[in-house]
Amino acid sequence: MQKLYRVAVIGGGVVGCSVLYHLTKLGWTDVVLIERKELTAGSSWHAAGGFHALNSDPGVARLQSYTIGLYKEIEALSGQSVGMHMTGGLNIAATPERWEILRADQARHKVLGIDTELLGPAEIKALCPLVDVTDVLGAVYDPHEGHVDPSGATYAYAKAARNAGATVQRHTRVMDLRPTGRGTWRIITDTGEIEAEHVVNAGGLWAREVGQMVGVNLPLIPMEHHYLLTDDIPEIAALERELTLILDLDAEIYMRQEGKGMLVGVYEKQATPWAVNGTPWDYGETELLPPQLERLSEELLKGYQRFPAVAEAGIRRIVNGPFTFTPDGNPLVGPVRGVPNYWSACGVMAGFAQGGGVGLTLAQWIINGEPEGDVYAMDVARFGDYATQSYVIDKAREFYSRRFAIAYPNEYWPAGRPCRTSALHRDLEQKNAVFGVSYGLEIPLFFAPAGEQPVETPSLSRSNAFRIAADEVAAVRGGVGIFDSSSFGKYEFSGKDAARFLDKLLANRLPGTGRVRLAPLLSDTGRLMGDLTAFKLAEDRFVLMGSGYLQNWHGRWFEAQGDGYQFVFRNRSDDWQGVVIAGPRSRELLQKVTRSDVSNDAFPFLSVRNMDVGFAPAIVARLSLSGELAYEIYTPANHLPSVYRLLFKAGRDLGLRDFGLQALNSMRLEKSIGIWSREYSRDYTAAEAGLERFVDFTKPSFIGRDAALRAREHTPPRRLVTFAVDADGADASGYEPIWAGDNHVGFVTSGGFGHRTGTSIAMGYVDTAVLDQLPEFEVSVLGVRRKAVVAEEPLYDPKNILPRS
């Protein structure tokens, strides 16, 4: 083994081998994979090997589609069969609730580029004679599902990489990782030492240990998982074709053909973490865990009722092997903050559906500096320090046990809660707040009336929160409302080079002292990296405001761009907490609790001031996400409860009322205001997202300027628009297709109901060429096309008079 490499990949499972292959595919061949035993000797060898493109996140779905298409490529390059079985797959529904979700999902598949169709019971029976369709309502059929040979696929990646010049070093255990002090890593193994510029943790079951070598605790845990192999089944032996994959979510069972029998798997309710305190280094290769069939009995009995021929077959083999799970079930991919040139490619529970996409993404990131599309759903930076071992275990058990449960878009699962709370949590609890959660923090969604349970009914249609949010919006519009905005991200920059650094970082010009300015972040390719709001508090002191769940993600970006500048960066998101007061009487309320002059002349729109609110020192900014006159008040967390109570005391005669995130979402849709991960993400440019007006091209230099200038020479291929939708009882929520006649011309990014305008609203991206023709549009809502009209300007207060009043 040579002594110096550009990249060392640790771990020889399907993900590590995919990363190695993609590095060579993109031109880096001076790379090595280090495996402690044989390739696949972790989770890969005992995996079921299934693949499918379907995923609720469009970025992950895109990468899963890529993975499926890749198998033929690596088979040809390597000469190694991957054992491809392209059987197609059925997702079966046997309850009205499940069938409603599958119909809605099938409409979204058009957006994801996945060609599926809805089938009735007779068509299901024709594809899968084993199923008893007595109570089956329908299914979604995807012709591009199937399975591969796990060993064959893994070795195909490795051989293709080796044929391109990569090195594969087996029977070599990494003992420690140490920075050399010259921008490289010293990799200490049990067979010697090597040096590499980059290290990729693709350790699988041992990813935690490889993380701890550099002081990183990755949020993942191995979980036991069973599947059974049956004896031969006469009905299968009689077939002249291979059965489709079967996922029966209501029967809580998945199956595929294995020889003349079936492979049968379940996700049991008694989810069992494994090796909680660390994975033994000598585990693996051919070792399995003791079967625990009693844990599976309830789920197996339920599934067997739908597949009686399977129930009658004998069990040939029981496989119980560990797989790594993260709190949300998605992988951990990307650069690890605070550890230069150390990369994560682990927590990939569905390795044979996602491994190719993970490898491509990481290779692009390492070589090009960023992946091509938005991969936040599997970015290692989506979790923060709140993701302790106890939290990870609690959430992973929940995800595992609810793998087949219906997940409604308005539903927040209970495990790992409450983890983080704002300083107002107890006050809001006493007011019957219904909470959601973001980045581990409890956030108020709405406030249930006295005497009602503080819960929201999970639903695809408008829930019990609909009328409550309407009342909260009315209170804001008619007087003044208050919202706990503690979840917002707050970043302080100070010092000698703070202004110079932020001028490079932000695409807009910096605001003047005491002023506020909206400022996109761009990557080098001109893609969006953030939609921030900049406050200038002094010549050398600034605050950037953003989405709170992006704290780790943005912090990594800020730190990566900061070389050569002298400034201090502090994440104040927990230190400073706050409230928004909004409505025509919000100025009157604020003036009651401060000695500062907050008149329109003294404190105009898009201004920021330091002032006392009651006895609390506060940063108060005048800006509006609601479309009303509004102020954001931020103060040290220990002051916030007294500020909140003072505001309610002062606002008693003004009709002050709490409002939650659902009311705020309704109001921002009426103003056509986008939010991150919906309207804005790394998938879009500023021009496409309508943010180009906040890009100052007269600045001589900022990150992404050259790419953004090149983009200005061309019409953007799509544009963000707002629709008024003729919907009743349900609204669009995200990734539904937008139609012009029979042509799919765009997709919804977010939707809801505008209570001030009485309108169902959807925001989304539409092909520019079609948009210029202004045809008649339709938006799919729960799988049904609804007439939709483009709103040329915001539906509420289109001239933006109210926030400036």
Side-chain angles (χ1 to χ4, degrees), residues 137-169:
L137 299 177
V140 169
Y141 175 67
D142 179 2
H144 297 106
E145 292 188 13
H147 59 98
V148 292
D149 167 37
S151 179
T154 303
Y155 274 89
Y157 279 121
K159 289 181 179 180
R162 197 163 50 198
N163 289 346
T167 299
V168 175
Q169 186 72 25

Side-chain angles (χ1 to χ4, degrees), residues 225-247:
H225 179 62
H226 289 78
Y227 63 78
L228 316 178
L229 298 174
T230 74
D231 291 332
D232 290 354
I233 298 174
E235 289 86 345
I236 294 177
L239 292 175
E240 297 181 356
R241 57 174 174 81
E242 188 173 2
L243 280 180
T244 60
L245 266 68
I246 301 158
L247 178 58

Side-chain angles (χ1 to χ4, degrees), residues 215-292:
V216 172
N217 291 313
L218 292 167
L220 52 82
I221 190 74
M223 303 286 292
E224 295 187 22
H225 179 62
H226 289 78
Y227 63 78
L228 316 178
L229 298 174
T230 74
D231 291 332
D232 290 354
I233 298 174
E235 289 86 345
I236 294 177
L239 292 175
E240 297 181 356
R241 57 174 174 81
E242 188 173 2
L243 280 180
T244 60
L245 266 68
I246 301 158
L247 178 58
D248 191 330
L249 298 168
D250 293 311
E252 298 182 348
I253 198 167
Y254 69 87
M255 295 192 298
R256 69 164 175 82
Q257 186 172 332
E258 179 73 14
K260 296 301 180 182
M262 295 295 285
L263 182 153
V264 181
V266 298
Y267 285 87
E268 66 275 16
K269 297 295 187 292
Q270 297 181 51
T272 305
W274 177 77
V276 170
N277 296 317
T279 303
W281 284 103
D282 59 354
Y283 174 81
E285 198 164 2
T286 59
E287 189 176 355
L288 290 170
L289 304 178
Q292 303 287 339

Side-chain angles (χ1 to χ4, degrees), residues 636-717:
N638 61 341
H639 283 278
L640 186 60
S642 65
V643 169
Y644 176 79
R645 292 161 195 162
L646 177 65
L647 285 166
F648 261 95
K649 182 178 179 181
R652 189 175 295 121
D653 61 337
L654 303 178
L656 179 62
R657 176 171 175 168
D658 291 287
F659 68 96
L661 192 62
Q662 294 202 11
L664 185 61
N665 187 60
S666 168
M667 291 186 282
R668 69 98 183 167
L669 286 170
E670 291 176 311
K671 293 293 292 181
S672 296
I673 296 174
I675 56 175
W676 194 262
S677 290
R678 291 295 192 149
E679 287 68 48
Y680 311 140
S681 81
R682 289 201 63 263
D683 277 337
Y684 314 121
T685 65
E688 291 173 330
L691 295 177
E692 196 174 43
R693 66 189 187 277
F694 302 117
V695 176
D696 188 346
F697 289 100
T698 67
K699 287 173 56 173
S701 178
F702 59 85
I703 297 170
R705 180 177 184 271
D706 291 345
L709 279 171
R710 288 193 298 271
R712 292 186 89 188
E713 299 173 1
H714 309 281
T715 301

Side-chain angles (χ1 to χ4, degrees), residues 111 684 718 735-738 744-749 763-766:
V111 172
Y684 314 121
R718 57 191 174 186
Y735 304 112
E736 294 92 346
I738 298 171
H744 168 228
V745 297
F747 57 92
V748 172
T749 50
M763 295 182 70
Y765 284 89
V766 175

Side-chain angles (χ1 to χ4, degrees), residues 52-67 108 111-114 330-331 333 353-358 360-361 364 371-379 677-678 681-684 718 735 747:
H52 54 86
L54 302 180
N55 192 284
S56 59
D57 180 87
V60 176
R62 180 179 65 243
L63 293 174
Q64 290 181 184
S65 292
Y66 169 80
T67 299
R108 289 189 176 97
V111 172
L112 303 179
I114 302 170
N330 279 341
V333 180
Q354 299 175 343
V358 168
L360 174 69
T361 295
Q364 290 173 340
E372 284 187 359
D374 178 31
V375 294
Y376 183 78
M378 61 183 189
D379 195 317
S677 290
R678 291 295 192 149
S681 81
R682 289 201 63 263
D683 277 337
Y684 314 121
R718 57 191 174 186
Y735 304 112
F747 57 92

